[in-house]
Amino acid sequence: MSEIAQKVKSIIVEKLGVEESEVTPEASFTNDLGADSLDTVELIMEFEKEFNQSIPDDEAEKILTVGQAIDFLEKNAGQAGK
Amino acid sequence: MTLRRVVVTGLGALTPIGNDVSTYWNNLAAGVSGAGPITKFDASKFRTQFACELKGVDVTQYIPRQEARKMDAFTHYALIATDEAVKDANIDLETIDRNKVGVIWGSGIGGLRSFEDEMIDYAKGDGTPRINPFFIVRMIADSASGQISMRYGFRGTNYVTVSACASTNNAIIDAFNYIRLGRLNMCVVGGSEAAVTRAGIGGFNANRALSERNSDPQGASRPYDKERDGFVLGEGAGSLILEDLDHAQARGAHIYAELIGGGMSSDAYHITAPHPEGLGAYLAMQDALNDAGIQPGEIDYINTHGTSTPIGDPQELKAIYQLFGDHSFQMNISSTKSMTGHLLGAAGAVEAIASIKALEHQLVPPTINLVNVDEEIDSRFNLTPLTAQARPLTTVMSNAFGFGGHNAIVIFRKLS
């Protein structure tokens, strides 16, 4: 697992209070991990902070699962502060 | 129409001198101070470096961690105290009509620490707002009553009263009225405050309200004493279950006391200073006696507002003398803030509980640190100095006054 994926998982475990084993790539924040709309906003903000990236709203709306978050962050890694 | 009678059937307390009602009461009776050096932040540059903080509270024992982090401490305190009160009242959530159970809560300030932390974090950045989505719900004062209702499914009237240090007594009186009128069968009432923060201490320091007796925190809250120099900030919560008497009797509930009257007034005078002759306090106490339909001579004990400020303490006593005359010297008076500090919006809650426990135990908790009564105060008052006094108690009054000139008074009586 990439360093990014590991960090994403630990943020989700911390913020949503779920077990690490539940945080699979297919897991949906709202349907599987018990997040409500505010939790999701908070998660996106934490990702932005942790990875020093800015995630535009139209991109954030497409991040619904753990895997989608990791893919987005890996794809945009190294473009810090863009 | 005939008004229903309202009784108290459950109590919960989270205070600087005890994290449950029985520890709180035992320490009140023993005259224990809850003051100590501030641990919640580095207060070394503040004029006041001590407070009455809570001790050894494990929030996650009551609230799952991921839920707790979406709440300010004042909401944690509300839920913890209410947990005890609901258990104490032995409420069967499956059989009662939860649509007729309300929650009316008091908080003077709300989520002060949450506001501070978020804005300090923002100020460290480049001006781009990255406000946490839970910021507003952590901060707003009505979060406490909302969270209580969600936890138990109480779907009746729900809101928070804000009248500074009178907040909880306003909450109690509102609930009293709804139950008397038959609009609610039960109501969770109480108050919580968590203002031992940089803004709280710094703000009250700035308007010179706090004691600065840093060398002697436990001796700093000394209502009516010559050396008093301001109040000591406290934190915590008190929760009470108010209930229609018939409803309580029908389910075989333990009844602590009857709530027989509530009185309110405004000083209409100054935003922080009380009226110099205690006019607002007088009017509110008179209103409470009228509401209860009793004579001044029937009050056995007043748990005063008595914050230990140079200006406030004598004025409340002046008002008491004006209203009660020579009976002022027959009754007991004490300020339990000498032990708990001043819990601001939650003061009325923990003092209502002190008053009710005094009735139960026929014991008046003391005004500790009262060594030399201020010359401005008539020496004939029995201010219950230093140690608790046993006496027959039937009817007790609890006073609360707030910045803004708000006055709210409640009267409890042994059920007859």
Side-chain angles (χ1 to χ4, degrees), chain B residues 87-104:
Chain B
K87 283 180 185 150
D88 186 42
N90 206 14
I91 300 170
D92 180 353
L93 294 173
E94 298 312 311
T95 56
I96 59 162
D97 179 0
R98 285 185 279 173
N99 296 343
K100 297 276 275 181
V101 182
V103 182
I104 306 180

Side-chain angles (χ1 to χ4, degrees), chain B residues 369-410:
Chain B
N369 298 319
L370 177 49
V371 180
N372 296 302
V373 177
D374 188 344
E375 286 103 9
E376 210 186 323
I377 292 168
D378 193 317
S379 61
R380 290 174 292 172
F381 285 111
N382 180 359
L383 300 168
T384 325
L386 305 175
T387 51
Q389 294 178 14
R391 70 170 284 165
L393 295 170
T394 304
T395 311
V396 299
M397 174 181 264
S398 177
N399 290 358
F401 314 132
F403 277 3
H406 320 287
N407 308 297
I409 313 284
V410 291

Side-chain angles (χ1 to χ4, degrees), chain B residues 185-398:
Chain B
N185 292 334
M186 300 176 85
C187 195
V188 179
V189 298
S192 58
E193 206 76 80
V196 182
T197 73
R198 290 157 291 189
I201 294 287
F204 283 114
N205 262 160
N207 60 26
R208 299 292 187 270
L210 293 183
S211 167
E212 297 176 16
R213 200 178 172 104
N214 290 311
S215 61
D216 176 25
Q218 302 217 328
S221 186
R222 46 194 317 118
Y224 315 117
D225 187 86
K226 229 173 6 190
E227 286 183 29
R228 73 192 184 281
D229 71 329
F231 73 78
V232 177
L233 191 58
E235 61 168 355
S239 184
L240 301 88
I241 308 299
L242 299 187
E243 186 166 357
D244 164 40
L245 172 63
D246 292 341
H247 191 270
Q249 285 176 332
R251 67 181 188 90
H254 170 70
I255 294 170
Y256 283 96
E258 181 173 4
L259 173 57
I260 60 169
M264 293 176 280
S265 75
S266 177
D267 281 6
Y269 172 72
H270 186 275
I271 198 69
T272 58
H275 188 280
E277 296 307 316
L279 177 63
Y282 172 87
L283 291 172
M285 287 189 287
Q286 189 181 50
D287 190 40
L289 290 174
N290 289 343
D291 188 44
I294 63 172
Q295 297 303 312
E298 294 180 64
I299 299 290
D300 301 310
Y301 165 48
I302 301 182
N303 184 305
T304 52
H305 188 60
T307 59
S308 185
T309 59
I311 301 178
D313 293 2
Q315 274 145 21
E316 182 176 13
L317 295 179
K318 274 186 209 168
I320 289 172
Y321 182 69
Q322 256 191 310
L323 183 61
F324 293 89
D326 284 348
H327 179 66
S328 308
F329 311 130
Q330 310 304 317
M331 66 168 80
N332 269 77
I333 290 171
S334 75
S335 169
T336 45
K337 287 188 181 76
S338 57
M339 295 173 272
T340 61
H342 188 356
L343 274 67
L344 305 179
V350 297
E351 287 160 27
I353 293 169
S355 305
I356 291 162
K357 294 297 281 185
L359 274 181
E360 184 183 15
H361 292 273
Q362 301 285 291
L363 185 76
V364 177
T367 307
I368 66 165
N369 298 319
L370 177 49
V371 180
N372 296 302
V373 177
D374 188 344
E375 286 103 9
E376 210 186 323
I377 292 168
D378 193 317
S379 61
R380 290 174 292 172
F381 285 111
N382 180 359
L383 300 168
T384 325
L386 305 175
T387 51
Q389 294 178 14
R391 70 170 284 165
L393 295 170
T394 304
T395 311
V396 299
M397 174 181 264
S398 177

Side-chain angles (χ1 to χ4, degrees), chain A residues 18-57:
Chain A
V18 291
E19 294 298 323
E20 191 163 343
S21 59
E22 299 173 70
V23 190
T24 59
E26 303 76 33
S28 152
F29 296 128
T30 51
N31 296 333
D32 302 317
L33 301 176
D36 63 19
S37 59
L38 293 183
D39 290 313
T40 314
V41 173
E42 190 185 36
L43 277 180
I44 296 291
M45 288 178 59
E46 281 299 312
F47 297 151
E48 290 184 321
K49 200 156 96 184
E50 179 66 34
F51 301 104
N52 194 22
Q53 290 189 23
S54 126
I55 305 175
D57 286 352

Side-chain angles (χ1 to χ4, degrees), chain B residues 38-85:
Chain B
I38 288 171
T39 64
K40 291 183 184 282
F41 64 94
D42 175 6
S44 57
K45 291 185 177 164
F46 286 66
R47 296 172 71 102
T48 297
Q49 295 163 9
F50 60 94
C52 287
E53 293 183 347
L54 295 177
K55 290 143 195 92
V57 179
D58 178 10
V59 171
T60 56
Q61 202 187 316
Y62 301 89
I63 312 164
R65 197 187 55 83
Q66 69 272 21
E67 281 180 46
R69 69 177 191 81
K70 298 174 187 174
M71 303 170 194
D72 187 88
F74 90 102
T75 301
H76 298 157
Y77 302 167
L79 287 174
I80 294 170
T82 299
D83 183 75
E84 186 185 6

Side-chain angles (χ1 to χ4, degrees), chain B residues 63 70-83 102-111 136-154 157-162 168 171 188-194 236-239 345-346:
Chain B
I63 312 164
K70 298 174 187 174
M71 303 170 194
D72 187 88
F74 90 102
T75 301
H76 298 157
Y77 302 167
L79 287 174
I80 294 170
T82 299
D83 183 75
V103 182
I104 306 180
W105 201 254
S107 185
I109 300 180
I136 296 290
V137 293
R138 272 202 288 257
M139 180 191 68
I140 52 179
D142 52 295
S143 280
S145 65
Q147 291 286 357
I148 293 168
S149 72
M150 286 169 9
R151 172 162 284 209
Y152 302 100
F154 294 152
T157 308
N158 188 298
Y159 58 86
V160 159
T161 51
V162 178
T168 298
V188 179
V189 298
S192 58
E193 206 76 80
S239 184

